[in-house]
Amino acid sequence: MTSGVILAGLGLAVVGFAGRYAARYGKVVSESLLKQIPISGNNKYYKGGFEQKMSKREASLVLGVSPSATKTKIKDAHKRIMLANHPDRGGSPYIAAKINEAKDILDKP
């Protein structure tokens, strides 16, 4: 019985020290590991600026729909994005213009 209590106490001490070490040095280790891991190209968000002349691909990325999306999906995506980015509600006029341009390009037959 006594040896069981001693083993339990030692186990708790080991867990405590390991947790303390992880809390102190975990951030440093995770940052160094993230630098070593290559970032894949399959990110959710598009990295990069706008092209000179917006293509159908870029327009679909701006609105978050497929290039062959229906007019209803394009309209719904445009409305959703413009509600969040409208200049009257604190959004950027440039971004709003790009969203409108994307809608116009995808609406073309």
Side-chain angles (χ1 to χ4, degrees), residues 63-65 73 75-85:
L63 293 180
V65 296
K73 282 190 177 189
K75 182 181 172 187
D76 291 343
H78 176 263
K79 183 177 180 180
R80 176 179 42 85
I81 294 171
M82 279 303 290
L83 284 173
N85 293 293

Side-chain angles (χ1 to χ4, degrees), residues 20-102:
R20 182 176 165 196
Y21 180 81
R24 283 189 178 174
Y25 302 107
K27 186 175 182 180
V28 175
V29 171
S30 67
E31 287 174 358
S32 67
L33 286 176
L34 285 177
K35 289 179 185 176
Q36 295 174 0
I37 298 173
I39 299 174
S40 69
N42 297 331
N43 291 335
K44 184 177 178 182
Y45 300 107
Y46 175 70
K47 304 271 193 235
F50 293 107
E51 299 171 7
Q52 284 290 78
K53 186 175 185 316
M54 187 176 285
S55 65
K56 195 167 184 171
R57 178 186 173 276
E58 184 179 21
S60 66
L61 286 171
V62 168
L63 293 180
V65 296
S66 71
S68 60
T70 63
K71 290 195 182 276
T72 308
K73 282 190 177 189
I74 294 168
K75 182 181 172 187
D76 291 343
H78 176 263
K79 183 177 180 180
R80 176 179 42 85
I81 294 171
M82 279 303 290
L83 284 173
N85 293 293
H86 198 278
D88 291 346
R89 304 187 88 193
S92 166
Y94 179 72
I95 299 294
K98 286 296 186 178
I99 293 168
N100 286 329
E101 183 182 358

